Amino acid sequence: MAPAAAKLLLTDLASGIDRVPDNYIRSEADRPNLTEVEASDASYIPLVDLQGLSGPNRDDIIRQIGRACQQDGFFQIKNHGIPEEKVQAIMNIAREFFQLPESERLKNYSDDPTKSTRLSTSFNLKTETVSNWRDFLRLHCYPLEEYMHEWPTNPPSFRKEVGEYCTRVRELVLKLSEAISESLGLEREYISQNLGKHGQHMAMNYYPPCPQPELTYGLPGHTDPNLITILLQDDVPGLQVLRNGKWVAVNPIPNTFIVNIGDQMQVISNDKYKSVLHRAVVNCNTERISIPTFYCPSPEGLIRPAQGLIDHEHPAVYRSFTYEEYYHKFWNRGLRTECCLDMFKIHSA
């Protein structure tokens, strides 16, 4: 049997250990402090019912979304239009993928972040000093026809099921981006028309059971660099969001997605809407799977505060930049609590 150090993926290392290896252990000041986390109840996280978004309730739903973007930076949605069987199918495929034999999974492995389809571990192996307790399969998925041929062929229905899910989620994102545009007082199509050619990525995150969850993270606190994230989680808690200086556990509600505002939305809204810090913690009993879809501008897309939100009392907070420039800075500096956005602010004298 190969020594533990030779394992490329956490999944294959974690099954045979009863202590967290040193390279996963956070310094004491940087640990999750799980006893201080607040449990969320339904009132903590806005739950927006999208039923009627195309009908008579539109104005009311847009107001709810606007309030959630401004006050919370994230919300949950139900009656989102993606059938339960499609959601279940993608979760099953992810679980099947991570249960494949090591040799089969490793066909997709790469530590090169420029690859548009890759299986890897932690976050950025080249720059980080402490590892994160997760493996992930990362896919580019828009336009589908440009990337689908790179995706895994095992499980056999992977490409079909994941392709259908990606198409449905994209439709949902475009509906939400219209509602968010309107909630800001902009034209319905404004956000969609200011993302270049658009981009869509997806991750399947696998967090194995961890013998000492209080010492490490699945992912430490970070904001998302993209425009908007649609998160599907299984029924195992793990997501936590920073609210009023305290970490709050966001416990999964069946048949809902979590939507969070990313850094690009904060720029377009000229700081009216906030990209929120969130993290993933692990537990010692159960594996956890989460599937975020990251909707973003295309690399050459030029991002700047919307002109309609700039006036004498609200000058532009950010300079304009391409998404490629932003993402490059985000990736190279690693997951940190200080938001990358500060590097793009216009500093008035």
Side-chain angles (χ1 to χ4, degrees), residues 61-261:
I61 295 169
I62 286 172
R63 268 193 299 276
Q64 288 178 49
I65 289 172
R67 193 161 54 241
C69 292
Q70 192 163 5
Q71 295 174 2
D72 302 281
F74 73 105
F75 52 97
Q76 296 174 93
I77 51 172
K78 65 178 184 178
N79 292 319
H80 41 67
I82 300 181
E84 199 177 330
E85 60 271 19
K86 291 274 169 244
V87 172
Q88 208 44 61
I90 187 103
M91 196 50 88
N92 292 344
I93 284 280
R95 206 171 295 281
E96 282 176 50
F97 176 83
F98 286 107
Q99 285 170 352
L100 289 170
E102 181 180 13
S103 57
E104 189 62 34
R105 274 178 286 120
L106 283 173
K107 291 175 183 175
N108 305 284
Y109 182 85
S110 171
D111 62 5
D112 174 4
T114 61
K115 285 195 72 170
S116 46
T117 299
R118 69 191 187 102
L119 174 68
S120 193
T121 192
S122 192
F123 177 70
N124 183 345
L125 295 173
K126 291 179 163 52
T127 60
E128 65 198 12
T129 51
V130 185
S131 297
N132 301 301
W133 199 264
R134 76 157 184 164
D135 289 338
F136 64 91
L137 177 66
R138 179 109 188 182
L139 311 170
H140 283 223
C141 32
Y142 182 78
L144 264 182
E145 59 277 10
E146 282 183 29
Y147 298 111
M148 212 171 185
H149 66 278
E150 303 173 354
W151 293 358
T153 49
N154 195 0
S157 59
F158 187 99
R159 292 182 179 180
K160 176 181 178 290
E161 295 292 0
V162 175
E164 287 178 12
Y165 177 80
C166 289
T167 301
R168 293 291 194 126
V169 172
R170 181 167 185 266
E171 289 165 2
L172 173 60
V173 168
L174 294 176
K175 272 199 307 199
L176 286 169
S177 83
E178 288 183 356
I180 292 170
S181 280
E182 286 187 50
S183 75
L184 285 164
L186 301 168
E187 292 288 323
R188 185 181 285 200
E189 301 293 330
Y190 181 86
I191 292 173
S192 181
Q193 287 171 353
N194 283 275
L195 304 174
K197 298 190 191 80
H198 293 216
Q200 182 181 344
H201 308 163
M202 166 199 265
M204 292 180 169
N205 293 321
Y206 182 76
Y207 303 99
C210 174
Q212 297 166 293
E214 68 284 356
L215 300 181
T216 190
Y217 287 107
L219 280 174
H222 63 284
T223 63
D224 287 351
N226 47 295
L227 178 83
I228 193 169
T229 302
I230 307 285
L231 177 72
L232 171 65
Q233 26 179 11
D234 65 9
D235 54 1
V236 179
L239 174 68
Q240 299 182 349
V241 175
L242 194 65
R243 284 199 74 177
N244 306 322
K246 287 201 165 78
W247 288 103
V248 178
V250 182
N251 294 326
I253 301 175
N255 303 323
T256 65
F257 289 104
I258 289 182
V259 179
N260 74 271
I261 297 305

Side-chain angles (χ1 to χ4, degrees), residues 306-318:
Q307 200 58 45
L309 300 176
I310 299 169
D311 57 31
H312 183 63
E313 287 176 20
H314 305 92
V317 179
Y318 303 96

